[in-house]
PDB file of all heavy atoms in Angstrom:
ATOM      1  N   GLU A  53      96.535  93.222 189.571  1.00 96.00           N
ATOM      2  CA  GLU A  53      97.905  93.394 189.882  1.00 96.00           C
ATOM      3  C   GLU A  53      98.052  94.295 191.095  1.00 96.00           C
ATOM      4  O   GLU A  53      98.907  93.979 191.983  1.00 96.00           O
ATOM      5  CB  GLU A  53      98.508  94.133 188.628  1.00 96.00           C
ATOM      6  CG  GLU A  53      98.597  93.361 187.357  1.00 96.00           C
ATOM      7  CD  GLU A  53      99.189  94.123 186.217  1.00 96.00           C
ATOM      8  OE1 GLU A  53      99.675  95.243 186.486  1.00 96.00           O
ATOM      9  OE2 GLU A  53      99.013  93.666 185.107  1.00 96.00           O
ATOM     10  N   VAL A  54      97.183  95.354 191.260  1.00 95.00           N
ATOM     11  CA  VAL A  54      97.195  96.051 192.570  1.00 95.00           C
ATOM     12  C   VAL A  54      96.940  95.232 193.766  1.00 95.00           C
ATOM     13  O   VAL A  54      97.584  95.448 194.788  1.00 95.00           O
ATOM     14  CB  VAL A  54      96.206  97.333 192.466  1.00 95.00           C
ATOM     15  CG1 VAL A  54      96.104  97.974 193.692  1.00 95.00           C
ATOM     16  CG2 VAL A  54      96.653  98.277 191.339  1.00 95.00           C
ATOM     17  N   LEU A  55      95.900  94.443 193.594  1.00 95.00           N
ATOM     18  CA  LEU A  55      95.420  93.544 194.690  1.00 95.00           C
ATOM     19  C   LEU A  55      96.716  92.535 195.154  1.00 95.00           C
ATOM     20  O   LEU A  55      97.064  92.328 196.190  1.00 95.00           O
ATOM     21  CB  LEU A  55      94.294  92.705 194.460  1.00 95.00           C
ATOM     22  CG  LEU A  55      92.916  93.526 194.350  1.00 95.00           C
ATOM     23  CD1 LEU A  55      91.865  92.581 193.834  1.00 95.00           C
ATOM     24  CD2 LEU A  55      92.686  94.302 195.663  1.00 95.00           C
ATOM     25  N   ALA A  56      97.311  91.962 194.007  1.00 95.00           N
ATOM     26  CA  ALA A  56      98.561  91.139 194.256  1.00 95.00           C
ATOM     27  C   ALA A  56      99.603  91.817 194.978  1.00 95.00           C
ATOM     28  O   ALA A  56     100.264  91.326 195.918  1.00 95.00           O
ATOM     29  CB  ALA A  56      98.898  90.563 193.031  1.00 95.00           C
ATOM     30  N   GLN A  57      99.906  93.040 194.538  1.00 96.00           N
ATOM     31  CA  GLN A  57     100.993  93.854 195.152  1.00 96.00           C
ATOM     32  C   GLN A  57     100.531  94.195 196.605  1.00 96.00           C
ATOM     33  O   GLN A  57     101.337  94.187 197.601  1.00 96.00           O
ATOM     34  CB  GLN A  57     101.228  95.136 194.432  1.00 96.00           C
ATOM     35  CG  GLN A  57     101.880  94.879 193.090  1.00 96.00           C
ATOM     36  CD  GLN A  57     102.214  96.164 192.313  1.00 96.00           C
ATOM     37  OE1 GLN A  57     102.539  97.263 192.909  1.00 96.00           O
ATOM     38  NE2 GLN A  57     102.316  96.046 191.057  1.00 96.00           N
ATOM     39  N   ALA A  58      99.289  94.583 196.869  1.00 96.00           N
ATOM     40  CA  ALA A  58      98.893  94.779 198.196  1.00 96.00           C
ATOM     41  C   ALA A  58      99.052  93.559 199.139  1.00 96.00           C
ATOM     42  O   ALA A  58      99.514  93.849 200.326  1.00 96.00           O
ATOM     43  CB  ALA A  58      97.323  95.287 198.216  1.00 96.00           C
ATOM     44  N   ALA A  59      98.758  92.360 198.634  1.00 96.00           N
ATOM     45  CA  ALA A  59      98.886  91.174 199.385  1.00 96.00           C
ATOM     46  C   ALA A  59     100.439  91.012 199.801  1.00 96.00           C
ATOM     47  O   ALA A  59     100.709  90.703 200.894  1.00 96.00           O
ATOM     48  CB  ALA A  59      98.414  90.044 198.721  1.00 96.00           C
ATOM     49  N   ARG A  60     101.255  91.192 198.901  1.00 97.00           N
ATOM     50  CA  ARG A  60     102.769  91.060 199.164  1.00 97.00           C
ATOM     51  C   ARG A  60     103.250  92.136 200.049  1.00 97.00           C
ATOM     52  O   ARG A  60     103.909  91.898 200.969  1.00 97.00           O
ATOM     53  CB  ARG A  60     103.464  91.083 197.820  1.00 97.00           C
ATOM     54  CG  ARG A  60     105.010  91.062 197.872  1.00 97.00           C
ATOM     55  CD  ARG A  60     105.446  89.788 198.604  1.00 97.00           C
ATOM     56  NE  ARG A  60     105.460  88.673 197.806  1.00 97.00           N
ATOM     57  CZ  ARG A  60     105.728  87.331 198.127  1.00 97.00           C
ATOM     58  NH1 ARG A  60     105.957  87.193 199.385  1.00 97.00           N
ATOM     59  NH2 ARG A  60     105.718  86.374 197.258  1.00 97.00           N
ATOM     60  N   HIS A  61     102.766  93.362 199.877  1.00 95.00           N
ATOM     61  CA  HIS A  61     103.119  94.432 200.805  1.00 95.00           C
ATOM     62  C   HIS A  61     102.555  94.158 202.183  1.00 95.00           C
ATOM     63  O   HIS A  61     103.308  94.464 203.173  1.00 95.00           O
ATOM     64  CB  HIS A  61     102.759  95.822 200.262  1.00 95.00           C
ATOM     65  CG  HIS A  61     103.479  96.244 199.091  1.00 95.00           C
ATOM     66  ND1 HIS A  61     104.797  96.590 199.095  1.00 95.00           N
ATOM     67  CD2 HIS A  61     103.041  96.530 197.832  1.00 95.00           C
ATOM     68  CE1 HIS A  61     105.300  96.899 197.927  1.00 95.00           C
ATOM     69  NE2 HIS A  61     104.203  96.895 197.129  1.00 95.00           N
ATOM     70  N   MET A  62     101.384  93.716 202.354  1.00 96.00           N
ATOM     71  CA  MET A  62     100.788  93.460 203.723  1.00 96.00           C
ATOM     72  C   MET A  62     101.484  92.412 204.401  1.00 96.00           C
ATOM     73  O   MET A  62     101.714  92.578 205.511  1.00 96.00           O
ATOM     74  CB  MET A  62      99.304  93.160 203.536  1.00 96.00           C
ATOM     75  CG  MET A  62      98.680  92.872 204.846  1.00 96.00           C
ATOM     76  SD  MET A  62      98.750  94.383 205.965  1.00 96.00           S
ATOM     77  CE  MET A  62      97.492  95.420 205.290  1.00 96.00           C
ATOM     78  N   SER A  63     102.036  91.469 203.663  1.00 96.00           N
ATOM     79  CA  SER A  63     102.842  90.433 204.295  1.00 96.00           C
ATOM     80  C   SER A  63     104.098  90.959 204.917  1.00 96.00           C
ATOM     81  O   SER A  63     104.428  90.599 206.013  1.00 96.00           O
ATOM     82  CB  SER A  63     103.268  89.218 203.379  1.00 96.00           C
ATOM     83  OG  SER A  63     104.044  89.593 202.371  1.00 96.00           O
ATOM     84  N   ARG A  64     104.769  91.991 204.248  1.00 96.00           N
ATOM     85  CA  ARG A  64     105.837  92.658 204.799  1.00 96.00           C
ATOM     86  C   ARG A  64     105.570  93.488 206.056  1.00 96.00           C
ATOM     87  O   ARG A  64     106.285  93.574 207.009  1.00 96.00           O
ATOM     88  CB  ARG A  64     106.490  93.512 203.726  1.00 96.00           C
ATOM     89  CG  ARG A  64     107.225  92.855 202.577  1.00 96.00           C
ATOM     90  CD  ARG A  64     108.565  92.278 203.135  1.00 96.00           C
ATOM     91  NE  ARG A  64     109.604  93.361 203.321  1.00 96.00           N
ATOM     92  CZ  ARG A  64     110.349  93.390 204.331  1.00 96.00           C
ATOM     93  NH1 ARG A  64     110.499  92.416 205.134  1.00 96.00           N
ATOM     94  NH2 ARG A  64     111.208  94.527 204.470  1.00 96.00           N
ATOM     95  N   VAL A  65     104.376  94.041 205.956  1.00 95.00           N
ATOM     96  CA  VAL A  65     103.846  94.885 207.202  1.00 95.00           C
ATOM     97  C   VAL A  65     103.689  93.909 208.365  1.00 95.00           C
ATOM     98  O   VAL A  65     104.115  94.276 209.433  1.00 95.00           O
ATOM     99  CB  VAL A  65     102.617  95.661 206.819  1.00 95.00           C
ATOM    100  CG1 VAL A  65     102.020  96.255 208.006  1.00 95.00           C
ATOM    101  CG2 VAL A  65     102.776  96.679 205.735  1.00 95.00           C
ATOM    102  N   TYR A  66     103.112  92.801 208.219  1.00 95.00           N
ATOM    103  CA  TYR A  66     102.950  91.848 209.302  1.00 95.00           C
ATOM    104  C   TYR A  66     104.427  91.457 209.789  1.00 95.00           C
ATOM    105  O   TYR A  66     104.532  91.262 210.988  1.00 95.00           O
ATOM    106  CB  TYR A  66     102.280  90.529 208.841  1.00 95.00           C
ATOM    107  CG  TYR A  66     100.757  90.645 208.894  1.00 95.00           C
ATOM    108  CD1 TYR A  66      99.983  90.840 207.835  1.00 95.00           C
ATOM    109  CD2 TYR A  66     100.164  90.725 210.177  1.00 95.00           C
ATOM    110  CE1 TYR A  66      98.579  91.011 207.853  1.00 95.00           C
ATOM    111  CE2 TYR A  66      98.767  90.782 210.321  1.00 95.00           C
ATOM    112  CZ  TYR A  66      97.932  90.911 209.200  1.00 95.00           C
ATOM    113  OH  TYR A  66      96.582  91.148 209.312  1.00 95.00           O
ATOM    114  N   GLU A  67     105.350  91.357 208.882  1.00 96.00           N
ATOM    115  CA  GLU A  67     106.762  90.974 209.331  1.00 96.00           C
ATOM    116  C   GLU A  67     107.345  92.125 210.133  1.00 96.00           C
ATOM    117  O   GLU A  67     107.888  91.879 211.142  1.00 96.00           O
ATOM    118  CB  GLU A  67     107.470  90.607 208.076  1.00 96.00           C
ATOM    119  CG  GLU A  67     108.976  90.217 208.323  1.00 96.00           C
ATOM    120  CD  GLU A  67     109.684  89.772 207.133  1.00 96.00           C
ATOM    121  OE1 GLU A  67     109.456  90.333 206.081  1.00 96.00           O
ATOM    122  OE2 GLU A  67     110.484  88.781 207.217  1.00 96.00           O
ATOM    123  N   MET A  68     107.211  93.351 209.580  1.00 95.00           N
ATOM    124  CA  MET A  68     107.933  94.424 210.154  1.00 95.00           C
ATOM    125  C   MET A  68     107.265  94.889 211.399  1.00 95.00           C
ATOM    126  O   MET A  68     107.945  95.336 212.437  1.00 95.00           O
ATOM    127  CB  MET A  68     108.114  95.567 209.117  1.00 95.00           C
ATOM    128  CG  MET A  68     108.990  95.276 208.076  1.00 95.00           C
ATOM    129  SD  MET A  68     109.241  96.558 206.865  1.00 95.00           S
ATOM    130  CE  MET A  68     107.594  97.165 206.471  1.00 95.00           C
ATOM    131  N   GLN A  69     105.943  94.980 211.470  1.00 93.00           N
ATOM    132  CA  GLN A  69     105.138  95.560 212.621  1.00 93.00           C
ATOM    133  C   GLN A  69     104.706  94.477 213.622  1.00 93.00           C
ATOM    134  O   GLN A  69     104.526  94.785 214.697  1.00 93.00           O
ATOM    135  CB  GLN A  69     103.979  96.494 212.049  1.00 93.00           C
ATOM    136  CG  GLN A  69     104.480  97.604 211.341  1.00 93.00           C
ATOM    137  CD  GLN A  69     103.291  98.533 210.969  1.00 93.00           C
ATOM    138  OE1 GLN A  69     102.146  98.322 211.228  1.00 93.00           O
ATOM    139  NE2 GLN A  69     103.636  99.494 210.222  1.00 93.00           N
ATOM    140  N   ARG A  70     104.544  93.252 213.241  1.00 94.00           N
ATOM    141  CA  ARG A  70     103.903  92.286 214.122  1.00 94.00           C
ATOM    142  C   ARG A  70     104.887  91.117 214.364  1.00 94.00           C
ATOM    143  O   ARG A  70     104.582  90.158 215.134  1.00 94.00           O
ATOM    144  CB  ARG A  70     102.662  91.687 213.583  1.00 94.00           C
ATOM    145  CG  ARG A  70     101.628  92.714 213.263  1.00 94.00           C
ATOM    146  CD  ARG A  70     100.916  93.138 214.606  1.00 94.00           C
ATOM    147  NE  ARG A  70      99.908  94.160 214.354  1.00 94.00           N
ATOM    148  CZ  ARG A  70      98.679  94.149 214.160  1.00 94.00           C
ATOM    149  NH1 ARG A  70      98.069  92.872 214.109  1.00 94.00           N
ATOM    150  NH2 ARG A  70      97.935  95.140 214.042  1.00 94.00           N
ATOM    151  N   GLY A  71     106.101  91.181 213.792  1.00 95.00           N
ATOM    152  CA  GLY A  71     107.112  90.200 214.004  1.00 95.00           C
ATOM    153  C   GLY A  71     106.774  88.768 213.370  1.00 95.00           C
ATOM    154  O   GLY A  71     107.423  87.891 213.771  1.00 95.00           O
ATOM    155  N   MET A  72     105.835  88.719 212.420  1.00 95.00           N
ATOM    156  CA  MET A  72     105.493  87.484 211.862  1.00 95.00           C
ATOM    157  C   MET A  72     106.382  87.122 210.749  1.00 95.00           C
ATOM    158  O   MET A  72     107.087  88.054 210.136  1.00 95.00           O
ATOM    159  CB  MET A  72     103.999  87.545 211.403  1.00 95.00           C
ATOM    160  CG  MET A  72     103.072  87.785 212.414  1.00 95.00           C
ATOM    161  SD  MET A  72     101.321  88.037 211.817  1.00 95.00           S
ATOM    162  CE  MET A  72     100.887  86.352 211.403  1.00 95.00           C
ATOM    163  N   ASP A  73     106.459  85.879 210.425  1.00 96.00           N
ATOM    164  CA  ASP A  73     107.338  85.402 209.177  1.00 96.00           C
ATOM    165  C   ASP A  73     106.567  86.037 207.963  1.00 96.00           C
ATOM    166  O   ASP A  73     105.394  85.742 207.787  1.00 96.00           O
ATOM    167  CB  ASP A  73     107.493  83.923 209.220  1.00 96.00           C
ATOM    168  CG  ASP A  73     108.209  83.471 207.946  1.00 96.00           C
ATOM    169  OD1 ASP A  73     109.399  83.422 208.018  1.00 96.00           O
ATOM    170  OD2 ASP A  73     107.508  83.026 206.997  1.00 96.00           O
ATOM    171  N   GLY A  74     107.239  86.729 207.154  1.00 93.00           N
ATOM    172  CA  GLY A  74     106.758  87.389 205.933  1.00 93.00           C
ATOM    173  C   GLY A  74     106.066  86.364 204.954  1.00 93.00           C
ATOM    174  O   GLY A  74     105.068  86.531 204.515  1.00 93.00           O
ATOM    175  N   GLU A  75     106.844  85.426 204.743  1.00 96.00           N
ATOM    176  CA  GLU A  75     106.429  84.203 203.714  1.00 96.00           C
ATOM    177  C   GLU A  75     105.192  83.492 204.308  1.00 96.00           C
ATOM    178  O   GLU A  75     104.235  83.182 203.605  1.00 96.00           O
ATOM    179  CB  GLU A  75     107.526  83.211 203.391  1.00 96.00           C
ATOM    180  CG  GLU A  75     108.508  83.851 202.420  1.00 96.00           C
ATOM    181  CD  GLU A  75     107.848  84.338 201.071  1.00 96.00           C
ATOM    182  OE1 GLU A  75     107.031  83.598 200.397  1.00 96.00           O
ATOM    183  OE2 GLU A  75     108.087  85.461 200.717  1.00 96.00           O
ATOM    184  N   GLU A  76     105.171  83.165 205.596  1.00 97.00           N
ATOM    185  CA  GLU A  76     103.997  82.603 206.217  1.00 97.00           C
ATOM    186  C   GLU A  76     102.789  83.398 206.233  1.00 97.00           C
ATOM    187  O   GLU A  76     101.675  83.075 205.874  1.00 97.00           O
ATOM    188  CB  GLU A  76     104.318  82.100 207.592  1.00 97.00           C
ATOM    189  CG  GLU A  76     103.242  81.361 208.316  1.00 97.00           C
ATOM    190  CD  GLU A  76     102.733  80.173 207.542  1.00 97.00           C
ATOM    191  OE1 GLU A  76     103.601  79.433 206.823  1.00 97.00           O
ATOM    192  OE2 GLU A  76     101.562  79.791 207.554  1.00 97.00           O
ATOM    193  N   SER A  77     102.943  84.681 206.518  1.00 97.00           N
ATOM    194  CA  SER A  77     101.812  85.700 206.498  1.00 97.00           C
ATOM    195  C   SER A  77     101.317  85.821 205.145  1.00 97.00           C
ATOM    196  O   SER A  77     100.080  85.898 204.862  1.00 97.00           O
ATOM    197  CB  SER A  77     102.162  87.045 207.159  1.00 97.00           C
ATOM    198  OG  SER A  77     103.215  87.618 206.466  1.00 97.00           O
ATOM    199  N   TYR A  78     102.196  85.757 204.069  1.00 96.00           N
ATOM    200  CA  TYR A  78     101.762  85.903 202.654  1.00 96.00           C
ATOM    201  C   TYR A  78     100.903  84.605 202.277  1.00 96.00           C
ATOM    202  O   TYR A  78      99.846  84.753 201.658  1.00 96.00           O
ATOM    203  CB  TYR A  78     102.983  85.949 201.745  1.00 96.00           C
ATOM    204  CG  TYR A  78     102.525  86.142 200.279  1.00 96.00           C
ATOM    205  CD1 TYR A  78     101.960  87.345 199.823  1.00 96.00           C
ATOM    206  CD2 TYR A  78     103.131  85.202 199.307  1.00 96.00           C
ATOM    207  CE1 TYR A  78     101.644  87.417 198.477  1.00 96.00           C
ATOM    208  CE2 TYR A  78     102.709  85.381 198.001  1.00 96.00           C
ATOM    209  CZ  TYR A  78     102.063  86.416 197.554  1.00 96.00           C
ATOM    210  OH  TYR A  78     101.745  86.529 196.291  1.00 96.00           O
ATOM    211  N   LYS A  79     101.365  83.581 202.734  1.00 97.00           N
ATOM    212  CA  LYS A  79     100.514  82.238 202.508  1.00 97.00           C
ATOM    213  C   LYS A  79      99.229  82.313 203.122  1.00 97.00           C
ATOM    214  O   LYS A  79      98.162  81.894 202.561  1.00 97.00           O
ATOM    215  CB  LYS A  79     101.288  81.048 203.009  1.00 97.00           C
ATOM    216  CG  LYS A  79     102.546  80.692 202.131  1.00 97.00           C
ATOM    217  CD  LYS A  79     103.296  79.551 202.843  1.00 97.00           C
ATOM    218  CE  LYS A  79     104.561  79.214 202.106  1.00 97.00           C
ATOM    219  NZ  LYS A  79     105.432  78.186 202.672  1.00 97.00           N
ATOM    220  N   GLN A  80      99.170  82.965 204.307  1.00 97.00           N
ATOM    221  CA  GLN A  80      97.895  83.064 204.952  1.00 97.00           C
ATOM    222  C   GLN A  80      96.989  84.101 204.267  1.00 97.00           C
ATOM    223  O   GLN A  80      95.659  83.824 204.190  1.00 97.00           O
ATOM    224  CB  GLN A  80      98.060  83.403 206.478  1.00 97.00           C
ATOM    225  CG  GLN A  80      98.725  82.299 207.333  1.00 97.00           C
ATOM    226  CD  GLN A  80      97.867  81.079 207.394  1.00 97.00           C
ATOM    227  OE1 GLN A  80      96.752  81.052 207.589  1.00 97.00           O
ATOM    228  NE2 GLN A  80      98.573  79.929 207.113  1.00 97.00           N
ATOM    229  N   ILE A  81      97.587  85.047 203.767  1.00 97.00           N
ATOM    230  CA  ILE A  81      96.722  86.170 203.043  1.00 97.00           C
ATOM    231  C   ILE A  81      96.160  85.403 201.763  1.00 97.00           C
ATOM    232  O   ILE A  81      95.025  85.575 201.501  1.00 97.00           O
ATOM    233  CB  ILE A  81      97.669  87.255 202.706  1.00 97.00           C
ATOM    234  CG1 ILE A  81      97.860  88.226 203.908  1.00 97.00           C
ATOM    235  CG2 ILE A  81      96.966  88.174 201.588  1.00 97.00           C
ATOM    236  CD1 ILE A  81      99.055  89.234 203.693  1.00 97.00           C
ATOM    237  N   LEU A  82      96.902  84.665 201.090  1.00 96.00           N
ATOM    238  CA  LEU A  82      96.616  83.988 199.898  1.00 96.00           C
ATOM    239  C   LEU A  82      95.433  82.970 200.187  1.00 96.00           C
ATOM    240  O   LEU A  82      94.476  82.803 199.462  1.00 96.00           O
ATOM    241  CB  LEU A  82      97.734  83.280 199.135  1.00 96.00           C
ATOM    242  CG  LEU A  82      98.780  84.222 198.617  1.00 96.00           C
ATOM    243  CD1 LEU A  82      99.817  83.386 197.845  1.00 96.00           C
ATOM    244  CD2 LEU A  82      98.114  85.215 197.604  1.00 96.00           C
ATOM    245  N   LYS A  83      95.626  82.307 201.354  1.00 96.00           N
ATOM    246  CA  LYS A  83      94.555  81.329 201.864  1.00 96.00           C
ATOM    247  C   LYS A  83      93.280  82.123 202.034  1.00 96.00           C
ATOM    248  O   LYS A  83      92.137  81.505 201.707  1.00 96.00           O
ATOM    249  CB  LYS A  83      94.998  80.691 203.035  1.00 96.00           C
ATOM    250  CG  LYS A  83      94.095  79.676 203.658  1.00 96.00           C
ATOM    251  CD  LYS A  83      94.602  78.997 204.980  1.00 96.00           C
ATOM    252  CE  LYS A  83      93.702  78.160 205.557  1.00 96.00           C
ATOM    253  NZ  LYS A  83      94.158  77.483 206.829  1.00 96.00           N
ATOM    254  N   GLY A  84      93.373  83.269 202.673  1.00 94.00           N
ATOM    255  CA  GLY A  84      92.111  83.997 202.854  1.00 94.00           C
ATOM    256  C   GLY A  84      91.423  84.460 201.521  1.00 94.00           C
ATOM    257  O   GLY A  84      90.237  84.391 201.377  1.00 94.00           O
ATOM    258  N   LEU A  85      92.231  84.813 200.593  1.00 93.00           N
ATOM    259  CA  LEU A  85      91.767  85.137 199.231  1.00 93.00           C
ATOM    260  C   LEU A  85      91.151  83.976 198.568  1.00 93.00           C
ATOM    261  O   LEU A  85      89.959  84.088 198.068  1.00 93.00           O
ATOM    262  CB  LEU A  85      92.876  85.749 198.330  1.00 93.00           C
ATOM    263  CG  LEU A  85      93.489  87.048 198.548  1.00 93.00           C
ATOM    264  CD1 LEU A  85      94.720  87.230 197.788  1.00 93.00           C
ATOM    265  CD2 LEU A  85      92.362  87.978 198.117  1.00 93.00           C
ATOM    266  N   GLU A  86      91.719  82.728 198.681  1.00 93.00           N
ATOM    267  CA  GLU A  86      91.150  81.612 197.985  1.00 93.00           C
ATOM    268  C   GLU A  86      89.860  81.181 198.675  1.00 93.00           C
ATOM    269  O   GLU A  86      88.901  80.888 198.029  1.00 93.00           O
ATOM    270  CB  GLU A  86      92.158  80.505 198.067  1.00 93.00           C
ATOM    271  CG  GLU A  86      93.353  80.662 197.213  1.00 93.00           C
ATOM    272  CD  GLU A  86      94.396  79.651 197.476  1.00 93.00           C
ATOM    273  OE1 GLU A  86      94.287  78.768 198.390  1.00 93.00           O
ATOM    274  OE2 GLU A  86      95.548  79.709 196.894  1.00 93.00           O
ATOM    275  N   GLN A  87      89.802  81.271 199.979  1.00 92.00           N
ATOM    276  CA  GLN A  87      88.563  80.971 200.775  1.00 92.00           C
ATOM    277  C   GLN A  87      87.400  81.863 200.377  1.00 92.00           C
ATOM    278  O   GLN A  87      86.303  81.429 200.189  1.00 92.00           O
ATOM    279  CB  GLN A  87      88.807  80.968 202.275  1.00 92.00           C
ATOM    280  CG  GLN A  87      89.650  79.787 202.650  1.00 92.00           C
ATOM    281  CD  GLN A  87      90.029  79.979 204.193  1.00 92.00           C
ATOM    282  OE1 GLN A  87      89.963  80.971 204.773  1.00 92.00           O
ATOM    283  NE2 GLN A  87      90.496  78.871 204.796  1.00 92.00           N
ATOM    284  N   THR A  88      87.750  83.120 200.266  1.00 90.00           N
ATOM    285  CA  THR A  88      86.764  84.059 200.044  1.00 90.00           C
ATOM    286  C   THR A  88      86.229  84.077 198.525  1.00 90.00           C
ATOM    287  O   THR A  88      85.039  83.966 198.376  1.00 90.00           O
ATOM    288  CB  THR A  88      87.256  85.568 200.265  1.00 90.00           C
ATOM    289  OG1 THR A  88      87.719  85.690 201.624  1.00 90.00           O
ATOM    290  CG2 THR A  88      86.131  86.599 200.035  1.00 90.00           C
ATOM    291  N   LEU A  89      87.082  83.770 197.660  1.00 90.00           N
ATOM    292  CA  LEU A  89      86.805  83.596 196.243  1.00 90.00           C
ATOM    293  C   LEU A  89      85.916  82.402 195.972  1.00 90.00           C
ATOM    294  O   LEU A  89      85.088  82.401 195.149  1.00 90.00           O
ATOM    295  CB  LEU A  89      87.900  83.629 195.359  1.00 90.00           C
ATOM    296  CG  LEU A  89      88.756  84.959 195.158  1.00 90.00           C
ATOM    297  CD1 LEU A  89      90.028  84.698 194.335  1.00 90.00           C
ATOM    298  CD2 LEU A  89      87.781  85.956 194.447  1.00 90.00           C
ATOM    299  N   ALA A  90      86.152  81.369 196.840  1.00 91.00           N
ATOM    300  CA  ALA A  90      85.388  80.143 196.664  1.00 91.00           C
ATOM    301  C   ALA A  90      84.050  80.124 197.487  1.00 91.00           C
ATOM    302  O   ALA A  90      83.286  79.182 197.282  1.00 91.00           O
ATOM    303  CB  ALA A  90      86.286  78.872 197.232  1.00 91.00           C
ATOM    304  N   GLY A  91      83.969  81.122 198.363  1.00 86.00           N
ATOM    305  CA  GLY A  91      82.882  81.125 199.157  1.00 86.00           C
ATOM    306  C   GLY A  91      81.524  81.658 198.606  1.00 86.00           C
ATOM    307  O   GLY A  91      81.457  81.830 197.403  1.00 86.00           O
ATOM    308  N   PRO A  92      80.535  81.855 199.391  1.00 84.00           N
ATOM    309  CA  PRO A  92      79.256  82.363 198.977  1.00 84.00           C
ATOM    310  C   PRO A  92      79.335  83.696 198.310  1.00 84.00           C
ATOM    311  O   PRO A  92      80.203  84.506 198.663  1.00 84.00           O
ATOM    312  CB  PRO A  92      78.447  82.342 200.150  1.00 84.00           C
ATOM    313  CG  PRO A  92      79.442  82.510 201.318  1.00 84.00           C
ATOM    314  CD  PRO A  92      80.619  81.824 200.815  1.00 84.00           C
ATOM    315  N   GLU A  93      78.414  84.024 197.471  1.00 79.00           N
ATOM    316  CA  GLU A  93      78.294  85.412 196.860  1.00 79.00           C
ATOM    317  C   GLU A  93      77.982  86.407 197.974  1.00 79.00           C
ATOM    318  O   GLU A  93      77.552  85.996 199.088  1.00 79.00           O
ATOM    319  CB  GLU A  93      77.329  85.482 195.793  1.00 79.00           C
ATOM    320  CG  GLU A  93      77.617  84.479 194.627  1.00 79.00           C
ATOM    321  CD  GLU A  93      78.766  85.085 193.766  1.00 79.00           C
ATOM    322  OE1 GLU A  93      78.944  86.215 193.716  1.00 79.00           O
ATOM    323  OE2 GLU A  93      79.609  84.244 193.365  1.00 79.00           O
TER     324      GLU A  93
END
Side-chain angles (χ1 to χ4, degrees):
E53 293 172 16
V54 169
L55 293 175
Q57 289 184 32
R60 180 55 82 183
H61 287 298
M62 184 57 80
S63 71
R64 287 284 293 143
V65 171
Y66 274 107
E67 183 175 37
M68 294 183 311
Q69 293 185 2
R70 301 283 172 94
M72 298 173 72
D73 177 81
E75 284 303 312
E76 182 57 32
S77 62
Y78 184 64
K79 289 177 188 175
Q80 293 299 313
I81 290 168
L82 294 180
K83 180 180 177 181
L85 283 168
E86 291 169 2
Q87 289 173 343
T88 302
L89 291 171
E93 292 295 320

